[in-house]
Amino acid sequence: MLTRLRSSLLSAALLAALPGFVTTLPSWSQSQSINGTIRGQVTDASGAAIPNASITVTNAELGFARTIVSEGNGYFVLVNLPLGTYSVSVSKDGFSTARFDQIILTAGKEAVLDPSLKVGNASEQIDVSATITNIDPTTLSVQRTLDSREIENLPLTSRNPYNFILFQPGVSGHPNPELGIPRTLNTNGLLDRINYQMDGMVNTESDRIGLRLFPIADSFLKEVQTVSNSFNPEYGWTSGDVYNVISNNGTNSYHGMFQWIRRWQDATAYPFFANKSQAKPNLQLQDFAVNAGGKIIKDKLFFFGAYEHVTRGQPAPVTITAANVAALGLSPDQVSATPGMLHGNFATGRGDWTINSKNSMFVRYNYFKNNFPFNTQVGGLNARSTAADFLDRAHVIGAQLTSTVNDHLLNELRFSWPFRNNTHFRGPSAGADPAIVISGVANIGASSNAGDQYTDKVPSGSDNVTYIRGAHTIKGGFSLAELINRQRLVSFNEYTFTSLASYLAAKNGTNPYGYSQFRSQQDLTGIGYASLFFGAYVQDTWQVTPKLLLVYGGRYDRFKGPQSNPNAPFINSRSFNTPSLNFAPRVGVTYRLDDHTVLKASGGVFYQSTPTNLWFNALNLDGSNRVNSFTITQPAGATTGTLAFPNIPAAGATSLQNVTTISPKFKNEYTWNATLQLSHEFSRYDTFMIGYILANGRNLMYLHNINPINPTGQLADGRPVFSSAANASTRLDTRFNQINQVESGANTSFNALVLNYTRSLAHGIQINANYTWSHSISDAPEVNTFEQSVAIMDTTNRKRDRGNSIVNHPNAFNLTAVMEPTFSLSHGFLNTLANHNMVALLANVSSGDQQNIITNVSINGDSSVASVTRPLYVGRNSLRSPNVYQFDGRYTRTFPKLFDRIAPSFLLEANNLFNHTNVTTLSPVQAIVQAGNSPLGPIGTSIGTPTITRGSVLEARIVQFGLAVRW
């Protein structure tokens, strides 16, 4: 009831605000973060300021024009300009008119124009070139925007635009071959700290750090904006990066695209680590995409729509031996390869309406559906009956209403309502209960991975007010989001047998007690909960002098969790602390050394939004055995017991429960960052930047067991050895086994040197290349992230885990290049042949990933850390996988246009061009001394070299071809 009430109040408040803003909201604005700004100072030939000069900006594609006058000091600022190409004219009675053409504004771009007017007639026009537009002297953050040309032409065999996160300075990680997020992202020395947005609105999954809420397709993207150190106060809810995709829109000219792509199996290489004596897996992909946009009413009403369908996957062969198939009596269909095919559908529709000269709005709807039969527990020793199907759906509404009150006052209101629901469930070919595991032989019967559900609904809104006064551009606003979640765990009943003979004996009734273990978990209701996130900021951009610009301000964020269970068995789960002192001051300065060189320095505090799994785990694992989970274990050779196969009991005796809870002193994590950049424009198209980034994480979450039994001794390296005798005098709470508590207080340190070269589009060539040298140190493993959530090794001493962070990639190089050079040959045929050939490249080269050397046994009696226990004197993440060399390429041949508008083309693209075996995972298990008085050394001493299993989140070479038509 409380959740519904809060949701209704939020919706009502936002809807009630709409009518009041219709007459006061800014023109053509989406958000300052996804629009452009033009600023500068008008002077005469002597350098004296010219007040009341008229500045007019025009975007012909949108029929957009705006005129303002310069201030008394000659300064002018035009904010919230729609993205695109502009002409700018500056005029004043008694002076010749200055005109700038081809001013290209991309997301978050600020173009600086400093027109110097000459005495003359206003009807005289002087065409001038914009100065230092490429080095963006007013933007403090380290950022990157991929424009439409790059989005359309860069190789993307995964069909996943989230992989573009990697191609900004200071970020390293690995692309994702599926529709999810890139892996092991280093953002300020932290793992996967990304605030995902679409058109400046929510697209971040709330349960764990580092997940996008809904997938996107490049068929409806216009630009991709990435923002990192150190951004203005208007950006919040992340201690890492902002990844903002800009949806496409209609213009006065009709435009569209149809594209078909198919995977070329014969040219595709064997997967990494595959047995090449067997047939090459059939890696399938087929993608259809179409979009179209244009005007409904010229200069007034525009539309854009897109649809994309992608089918991708590969059959998963079943490897149960023929002899075991016969012994189990499995039918042929149960051991045939499972399809393993993803069926993804993307659709979007957007309308843009210029209501009048001062008010405009857009509304966008996105739809996504992924129907994936045989998604989980397929192939290998799994018969087809054990598979679980997967269904993932998302509906997203986004809207923005904007206006210009006058030249000095603007406002923008945004509202979005994303909804996502996914679940694993038993498909049509699923077996009947129970699930049966015959170790090393086969898995048959029902699935043990079905029944879960995740729902994330985030009604949210924000408002931003911009006030321009003289040399000051003051901006303030707030954002409010309600995170409504429901999570349900898998439900299963599962018997485990150690041999085929014991299973057959149980099946035929000879010995129904010969199993080794029966497990049951039943989550029939799940947990619904709601959180409320609020943020507010104010900032001032002050043009102190023509060369010096100061940005300063602050932000406040509050992340309130759901209602706790006041009757939770463990006391720390009965109430949740909401930190309320999350104030984040920020300041930055830019100084133009000359017309082609800018020095920038900035710093501040950045708070990370709380993953809602922090609260879900405390609600779900409170020691009450909410999911009716229990285990029955049979001794070897048993012929009697309390449960006979294949019966399924409704309940059973449970062992001591493990609890997950939250410290009463919990605080929100944050970083304090400092950035120094020097940018120089070598030519109108070539820019080089060198920068230094410092980021220190504070109050980071870490996990440890607060319920160990009192220690009876210690290992040779000082780790305590805990007793196995539990009683009231030796344990915090004898009702439970582990009590794994999330604490605040872990620290990280990140230092990086960043080099970036950008060649803006010239002569058909544009390039962005960046290199980052960095070092990332932390004193605890990450918690509640998508890729990691483990406890510290020594529950009494966090600093024993101080070492390289999991994302420590000391060297990282990224490159994007789109090249279509033009030639002028005298021979017509040769000239046609030489032109209209485009080559696009992506390069992702980095140091390997940090890996933990573990023992797989707990050598100090703390059962909560068996998976992270290291041998004596071995530091955390002390092993590194090999360097990664990932090069992707695309060749596009465009043919002569049909009817002067329709441009057909052929494309050929490849992932991992050189088929380099990119190992991203090493799983080292170290044998150790486990008994005292060993001649090999004390308990925990390494014996020999570790056994290492290799793995990768990357793929071997994949080749695809396709056809496209653009108009």
Side-chain angles (χ1 to χ4, degrees):
M1 178 64 72
L2 180 61
T3 295
R4 291 197 299 270
L5 176 61
R6 288 193 297 185
S7 178
S8 300
L9 290 174
L10 175 62
S11 303
L14 291 170
L15 291 172
L18 286 175
F21 279 96
V22 168
T23 58
T24 58
L25 294 178
S27 172
W28 271 107
S29 164
Q30 294 178 347
S31 160
Q32 187 65 21
S33 63
I34 60 172
N35 284 270
T37 297
I38 297 176
R39 67 168 63 236
Q41 184 185 34
V42 186
T43 60
D44 61 19
S46 68
I50 299 179
N52 299 316
S54 177
I55 300 97
T56 299
V57 299
T58 306
N59 184 323
E61 276 294 296
L62 298 174
F64 171 84
R66 184 187 294 171
T67 300
I68 64 170
V69 296
S70 59
E71 301 285 338
N73 52 14
Y75 289 123
F76 65 91
V77 182
L78 295 106
V79 300
N80 294 337
L81 299 175
L83 307 181
T85 302
Y86 284 82
S87 296
V88 181
S89 65
V90 183
S91 61
K92 171 78 174 179
D93 289 344
F95 294 89
S96 299
T97 298
R99 180 178 174 85
F100 300 82
D101 281 323
Q102 296 297 307
I103 305 300
I104 300 175
L105 295 183
T106 55
K109 177 75 172 180
E110 292 203 2
V112 176
L113 310 177
D114 290 328
S116 178
L117 304 186
K118 298 180 180 179
V119 175
N121 191 314
S123 62
E124 297 178 277
Q125 180 172 297
I126 300 175
D127 293 330
V128 293
S129 299
T131 59
I132 59 172
T133 57
N134 293 329
I135 55 178
D136 207 352
T138 60
T139 301
L140 293 172
S141 58
V142 178
Q143 67 174 15
R144 169 87 199 283
T145 298
L146 284 81
D147 61 24
S148 298
R149 187 171 185 261
E150 293 173 291
I151 297 296
E152 291 177 0
N153 297 293
L154 287 171
L156 206 63
T157 60
S158 64
R159 317 304 309 143
N160 181 6
Y162 286 107
N163 286 334
F164 290 138
I165 294 173
L166 297 169
F167 299 98
Q168 70 161 312
V171 172
S172 61
H174 309 307
N176 192 326
E178 298 295 332
L179 299 178
I181 52 111
R183 302 299 175 85
T184 324
L185 285 172
N186 186 334
T187 52
N188 294 339
L190 300 168
L191 177 64
D192 298 340
R193 299 308 198 276
I194 306 288
N195 182 353
Y196 294 97
Q197 298 180 358
M198 186 169 186
D199 294 326
M201 305 174 200
V202 173
N203 187 16
T204 302
E205 187 171 315
S206 62
D207 60 329
R208 289 164 293 172
I209 290 172
L211 287 173
R212 80 311 180 250
L213 181 55
F214 55 90
I216 54 176
D218 63 344
S219 55
F220 56 72
L221 300 190
K222 182 175 184 177
E223 294 181 358
V224 169
Q225 177 196 25
T226 57
V227 181
S228 60
N229 293 275
S230 293
F231 36 80
N232 293 341
E234 66 181 291
Y235 296 100
W237 296 3
T238 181
S239 54
D241 286 24
V242 176
Y243 175 84
N244 184 28
V245 297
I246 316 299
S247 63
N248 216 329
N249 60 279
T251 65
N252 277 325
S253 61
Y254 294 103
H255 56 88
M257 173 273 295
F258 171 79
Q259 182 173 270
W260 168 78
I261 296 175
R262 184 180 179 86
R263 189 155 289 177
W264 186 2
Q265 175 65 16
D266 291 340
T268 296
Y270 275 89
F272 297 147
F273 323 122
N275 183 353
K276 295 184 180 181
S277 64
Q278 298 177 354
K280 184 167 59 177
N282 183 17
L283 303 176
Q284 303 175 47
L285 179 135
Q286 187 159 255
D287 180 84
F288 295 92
V290 62
N291 66 41
K295 66 178 183 292
I296 299 175
I297 302 174
K298 185 178 180 181
D299 298 343
K300 190 80 172 178
L301 187 61
F302 306 92
F303 76 92
F304 179 84
Y307 174 77
E308 184 166 352
H309 177 80
V310 58
T311 304
R312 179 178 58 225
Q314 66 183 85
V318 176
T319 59
I320 303 172
T321 66
N324 289 334
V325 168
L328 292 168
L330 298 177
S331 59
D333 67 294
Q334 283 296 304
V335 293
S336 60
T338 55
M341 296 297 294
L342 173 153
H343 301 268
N345 293 273
F346 303 84
T348 191
R350 172 170 165 161
D352 291 78
W353 178 27
T354 303
I355 302 170
N356 53 43
S357 62
K358 291 191 173 184
N359 304 283
S360 65
M361 69 179 298
F362 82 81
V363 177
R364 167 180 48 78
Y365 170 73
N366 293 86
Y367 171 76
F368 168 75
K369 180 181 179 181
N370 175 14
N371 181 18
F372 200 149
F374 298 98
N375 172 262
T376 305
Q377 202 173 336
V378 296
L381 296 179
N382 295 295
R384 289 180 67 136
S385 66
T386 66
D389 294 354
F390 179 66
L391 181 62
D392 188 3
R393 288 175 295 179
H395 301 270
V396 185
I397 296 173
Q400 182 164 278
L401 185 61
T402 62
S403 83
T404 302
V405 180
N406 53 47
D407 290 352
H408 302 279
L409 183 62
L410 304 96
N411 192 88
E412 52 191 344
L413 175 71
R414 287 175 288 160
F415 173 74
S416 69
W417 193 301
F419 170 80
R420 183 184 178 201
N421 178 60
N422 60 62
T423 179
H424 289 91
F425 57 96
R426 297 183 183 183
S429 60
D433 261 347
I436 299 168
V437 176
I438 309 170
S439 301
V441 176
N443 302 323
I444 59 176
S447 174
S448 56
N449 286 276
D452 65 328
Q453 181 185 27
Y454 177 77
T455 299
D456 202 344
K457 180 166 57 177
V458 191
S460 62
S462 65
D463 186 66
N464 302 279
V465 178
T466 302
Y467 177 63
I468 301 168
R469 181 178 179 85
H472 295 269
T473 303
I474 302 169
K475 187 172 183 179
F478 73 91
S479 53
L480 180 66
E482 184 172 30
L483 288 64
I484 305 171
N485 298 101
R486 174 165 289 278
Q487 293 194 55
R488 188 179 67 210
L489 306 182
V490 296
S491 295
F492 61 87
N493 296 291
E494 179 189 83
Y495 280 92
T496 299
F497 295 87
T498 58
S499 68
L500 178 59
S502 60
Y503 166 69
L504 294 176
K507 180 183 178 183
N508 62 30
T510 304
N511 181 13
Y513 303 100
Y515 57 90
S516 61
Q517 187 181 78
F518 172 81
R519 294 191 306 144
S520 180
Q521 176 174 290
Q522 301 299 317
D523 188 356
L524 303 180
T525 60
I527 294 179
Y529 56 101
S531 313
L532 194 65
F533 288 8
F534 172 78
Y537 73 94
V538 63
Q539 66 186 43
D540 179 21
T541 302
W542 178 18
Q543 191 75 57
V544 183
T545 71
K547 293 182 178 293
L548 179 65
L549 182 135
L550 177 66
V551 180
Y552 61 96
R555 183 177 181 90
Y556 173 76
D557 292 303
R558 189 170 189 266
F559 310 115
K560 186 179 187 306
Q563 179 66 45
S564 60
N565 177 9
N567 300 313
F570 186 66
I571 187 172
N572 287 358
S573 295
R574 295 173 188 168
S575 63
F576 300 141
N577 180 44
T578 299
S580 56
L581 298 177
N582 298 342
F583 292 97
R586 301 175 193 175
V587 63
V589 61
T590 73
Y591 184 74
R592 296 162 62 180
L593 301 177
D594 55 44
D595 283 347
H596 301 283
T597 309
V598 173
L599 180 66
K600 306 178 184 182
S602 59
V605 175
F606 304 82
Y607 277 90
Q608 175 68 44
S609 60
T610 306
T612 58
N613 260 14
L614 173 75
W615 301 301
F616 168 75
N617 290 333
L619 292 169
N620 182 54
L621 301 172
D622 61 0
S624 64
N625 194 24
R626 184 189 68 83
V627 297
N628 188 27
S629 175
F630 62 92
T631 301
I632 297 173
T633 302
Q634 289 283 86
T639 57
T640 61
T642 59
L643 175 65
F645 175 85
N647 294 327
I648 299 174
T654 59
S655 58
L656 290 179
Q657 294 292 298
N658 292 333
V659 170
T660 297
T661 191
I662 309 169
S663 170
K665 299 179 180 180
F666 176 80
K667 298 179 181 179
N668 294 124
E669 72 176 47
Y670 68 91
T671 60
W672 60 268
N673 297 357
T675 305
L676 182 66
Q677 303 174 63
L678 179 66
S679 298
H680 180 71
E681 193 176 55
F682 288 97
S683 73
R684 181 172 174 79
Y685 305 106
D686 298 283
T687 305
F688 179 78
M689 182 272 282
I690 181 171
Y692 170 72
I693 298 171
L694 169 67
N696 286 300
R698 296 294 182 264
N699 284 341
L700 271 62
M701 294 180 291
Y702 69 94
L703 186 68
H704 72 140
N705 179 15
I706 62 172
N707 200 39
I709 304 169
N710 284 352
T712 58
Q714 64 182 26
L715 299 176
D717 62 0
R719 274 179 280 174
V721 176
F722 297 101
S723 171
S724 59
N727 56 61
S729 64
T730 63
R731 202 165 209 178
L732 175 66
D733 195 327
T734 55
R735 296 175 299 166
F736 310 112
N737 182 23
Q738 305 164 21
I739 300 178
N740 297 308
Q741 181 162 286
V742 177
E743 307 275 2
S744 302
N747 301 313
T748 64
S749 176
F750 175 70
N751 290 268
L753 174 69
V754 179
L755 307 175
N756 188 82
Y757 165 72
T758 300
R759 179 171 179 80
S760 301
L761 178 60
H763 309 295
I765 297 174
Q766 65 185 117
I767 298 172
N768 183 275
N770 60 78
Y771 167 76
T772 303
W773 174 90
S774 65
H775 191 201
S776 306
I777 298 176
S778 64
D779 60 13
E782 299 276 11
V783 176
N784 285 325
T785 72
F786 169 64
E787 298 186 72
Q788 189 177 82
S789 188
V790 296
I792 60 176
M793 185 181 68
D794 182 351
T795 193
T796 65
N797 184 359
R798 185 184 78 247
K799 293 185 177 180
R800 203 178 295 279
D801 274 294
R802 181 172 173 80
N804 293 318
S805 301
I806 186 176
V807 293
N808 183 44
H809 304 128
N811 297 280
F813 171 79
N814 297 307
L815 167 75
T816 64
V818 180
M819 300 170 288
E820 188 180 13
T822 56
F823 302 92
S824 298
L825 304 179
S826 58
H827 192 285
F829 174 76
L830 294 179
N831 191 67
T832 301
L833 197 64
N835 287 287
H836 309 297
N837 297 289
M838 177 183 289
V839 175
L841 296 173
L842 289 176
N844 178 229
V845 180
S846 70
S847 304
D849 295 338
Q850 300 286 169
Q851 313 283 333
N852 236 354
I853 300 176
I854 61 173
T855 64
N856 261 1
V857 295
S858 177
I859 56 177
N860 66 341
D862 183 2
S863 59
S864 67
V865 297
S867 62
V868 293
T869 299
R870 300 187 298 274
L872 294 180
Y873 310 114
V874 173
R876 185 168 63 91
N877 295 328
S878 56
L879 184 66
R880 183 187 300 284
S881 60
N883 294 340
V884 169
Y885 301 92
Q886 179 80 19
F887 294 90
D888 303 341
R890 174 187 277 195
Y891 166 73
T892 303
R893 170 65 187 180
T894 302
F895 301 101
K897 288 185 177 181
L898 306 174
F899 310 107
D900 294 327
R901 280 189 58 84
I902 302 174
S905 62
F906 166 81
L907 64 92
L908 182 69
E909 64 181 0
N911 165 80
N912 196 356
L913 277 166
F914 305 109
N915 199 33
H916 184 267
T917 303
N918 288 313
V919 177
T920 63
T921 304
L922 299 177
S923 300
V925 178
Q926 177 67 62
I928 59 168
V929 174
Q930 299 187 47
N933 301 318
S934 170
L936 298 176
I939 294 174
T941 301
S942 298
I943 302 175
T945 58
T947 300
I948 298 178
T949 303
R950 299 183 303 164
S952 183
V953 298
L954 301 175
E955 295 177 306
R957 184 180 59 245
I958 290 174
V959 181
Q960 298 174 175
F961 61 91
L963 301 173
V965 178
R966 300 184 187 276
W967 64 89

